Every structure is written in structure tokens, then in C-alpha cells.
Amino acid sequence: MKQQMMAQNIFYNLRRICLLLFLLVPALRSVAALEPYQHVLRGAIKKGDVLTVKDEKFQNPAYDWSRINNLSVENLITFGLFRDSSYTFKKSFSCELTLKVEYWTQPDQQQPITLDDIKLKVNYDTTYGASYQAEAVYHFKNAHRYKITVKDISSAELGDKIPPVFTLNAQIFIDRKYLPDDKAKPEPMTVTTSGTTVGLAGRGMGTMDAGEPDWSVTVGWGVAPARMSTTWSGLLLMKPL
């Protein structure tokens, strides 16, 4: 009877360990992250201004690009009024921005893809309760690095002296997974109970030593979880070890 109870306890603990492994293994296969990057030009925007934004993992020797799975890469260029400005609008106006965009999608790409004469237009209406378009957005995809050049900025109402009330925002949003390092193999796991030790290595099982079991279980695993860190924008990022 005593040996039968010991065998039942061992079987129960092994079931618990198998369930734990079932839950852990999918999490170890890859680490997912949603990563935003942005760069902002604000104030007196003028012809010839340049704005560049880049995915920090792109063309960075500190990261193995082959172990990064980019699920989606979304790019947004936003032209709008700087609403926190102390400048007072005395008349209604519209303002149009003309841009050239050069972007890179692959680390070994020599020449950028060019999008020319992109136009973004905003307006402001001083009439009380009137609706107006204070922001214009251009959307494209797959750029891990891109450069914006202001080709022209014009406003018939404001003339040549464009006030410092505008903002140009370049953003990259990446949904990606980090593949595990092949060298980081999980170490053999050891399950310990009082007087009973079961070694699990690969698909084989070790020996069971006779003894008096209890309900305690100790699990050892050889792969540490990914570290968490924050980016300047305040959103949480996951970085590989």
C-alpha cells in the first residue's frame, strides 16, 4: 500500500510538471512586441527642413536581423497645428506642405525608395464654432527607416512669413516577434520531492529512488525570460537578451 501511494504521488507530480511545460513552451518560442518610434519637427517649418526616423533594430550590428520576425510595419506622417502654441490666430487660413519621402525596407538596401510631391493640407477658421482640418496624415508601409524633406510650405493668407505654429511628425509602428536563440537550449529539468528525484532529460525519464514523498515540487529551467524596458515615448517594449 505504501509503495502504491508513493507511485500515485509521483504520477500526480509528473502530471503537474507536464502541464507546466505545456504552458511554458509556447512562451519560449518567441517574444512579441509592439514598438513605436517617432521624430518630431515643431515650430517654424520651412523649405529644406529634413526629418528622419529609424527603427532602432534596423541596420544595428547589436541585433541579429535574421532572428526578428516583422509581422507588420506601419508608417505615418502627420502635418498639423501646434495647439499648445501661444500664438493667436487672427484670421482664417489654409496651409499646404509638399514633401519628398525616401525610405528603406531591407538592411542591405543601397538606394531608398522615393515618394515625391506628397501634399498635406490643413486649415483654420476663426469663426466661432466652425469646423476645420487641423491635421493631415499620410500613411504608407514597410519602412524601417525614412527621411522626409520639406520641398515647399505655402499659405495664401499667411504669405511668406509662416508662423511657428505647425508640427511635422514622422512615426513607425512595428509589430514583431523575436525568435529564440538556437544556442539557448533549455537545461534538463529536475523535479524534486522528499526522498524521490525524477530526472527529465529530452524525452527520456531517469530513475526513481525509493523514499517517502510529499506534495512539494521544485522546477529548474535554463532559459531566462526576456527583459522589459521602456522607450522614451512611454510605451512598454520587449527587448531580447
Side-chain angles (χ1 to χ4, degrees):
M1 179 66 69
K2 185 176 181 180
Q3 291 181 347
Q4 183 179 3
M5 290 182 61
M6 182 182 70
Q8 289 177 348
N9 290 340
I10 292 173
F11 179 73
Y12 174 78
N13 286 331
L14 286 177
R15 287 185 60 187
R16 293 175 62 187
I17 295 305
C18 290
L19 177 60
L20 179 63
L21 289 176
F22 178 79
L23 296 175
L24 283 178
V25 169
L28 292 172
R29 289 177 183 170
S30 61
V31 177
L34 179 61
E35 302 180 12
Y37 302 96
Q38 71 172 348
H39 199 184
V40 181
L41 184 63
R42 181 175 294 164
I45 298 175
K46 62 185 183 300
K47 181 179 179 179
D49 282 344
V50 173
L51 184 62
T52 302
V53 63
K54 178 180 176 291
D55 167 11
E56 71 169 353
K57 312 299 188 307
F58 187 69
Q59 298 175 326
N60 186 339
Y63 296 91
D64 185 353
W65 189 255
S66 66
R67 307 211 67 78
I68 298 176
N69 181 12
N70 298 299
L71 303 177
S72 67
V73 184
E74 304 290 337
N75 311 111
L76 294 179
I77 300 173
T78 306
F79 175 54
L81 296 174
F82 180 28
R83 298 175 182 176
D84 294 335
S85 173
S86 59
Y87 183 87
T88 301
F89 300 111
K90 298 180 180 180
K91 58 182 178 181
S92 302
F93 66 88
S94 63
C95 185
E96 185 174 77
L97 191 69
T98 305
L99 305 172
K100 179 177 76 171
V101 178
E102 300 167 277
Y103 69 94
W104 291 258
T105 63
Q106 299 296 328
D108 57 353
Q109 182 179 339
Q110 299 299 318
Q111 298 298 324
I113 300 169
T114 301
L115 303 172
D116 215 351
D117 291 332
I118 296 172
K119 297 185 183 297
L120 298 173
K121 188 175 183 178
V122 297
N123 60 69
Y124 182 82
D125 195 329
T126 57
T127 304
Y128 180 77
S131 61
Y132 56 89
Q133 183 178 344
E135 192 172 85
V137 179
Y138 181 79
H139 170 250
F140 63 109
K141 295 184 177 184
N142 300 324
H144 290 274
R145 170 189 167 197
Y146 65 93
K147 172 184 173 183
I148 302 172
T149 302
V150 177
K151 297 183 66 176
D152 191 29
I153 181 169
S154 60
S155 171
E157 297 80 10
L158 299 175
D160 295 333
K161 295 183 178 179
I162 305 295
V165 295
F166 296 101
T167 180
L168 181 61
N169 191 2
Q171 296 174 291
I172 302 175
F173 298 94
I174 305 175
D175 184 9
R176 65 174 25 142
K177 288 185 178 181
Y178 295 92
L179 303 179
D181 189 348
D182 289 339
K183 297 179 182 179
K185 298 295 185 182
E187 296 175 358
M189 184 179 63
T190 300
V191 182
T192 303
T193 64
S194 298
T196 302
T197 300
V198 180
L200 303 181
R203 300 189 180 185
M205 294 183 60
T207 59
M208 299 182 182
D209 298 327
E212 196 69 34
D214 61 17
W215 298 100
S216 64
V217 176
T218 302
V219 179
W221 195 258
V223 178
R227 292 195 298 267
M228 304 291 291
S229 63
T230 56
T231 184
W232 67 272
S233 64
L235 295 181
L236 196 61
L237 301 184
M238 274 198 172
K239 293 187 178 181
L241 288 173

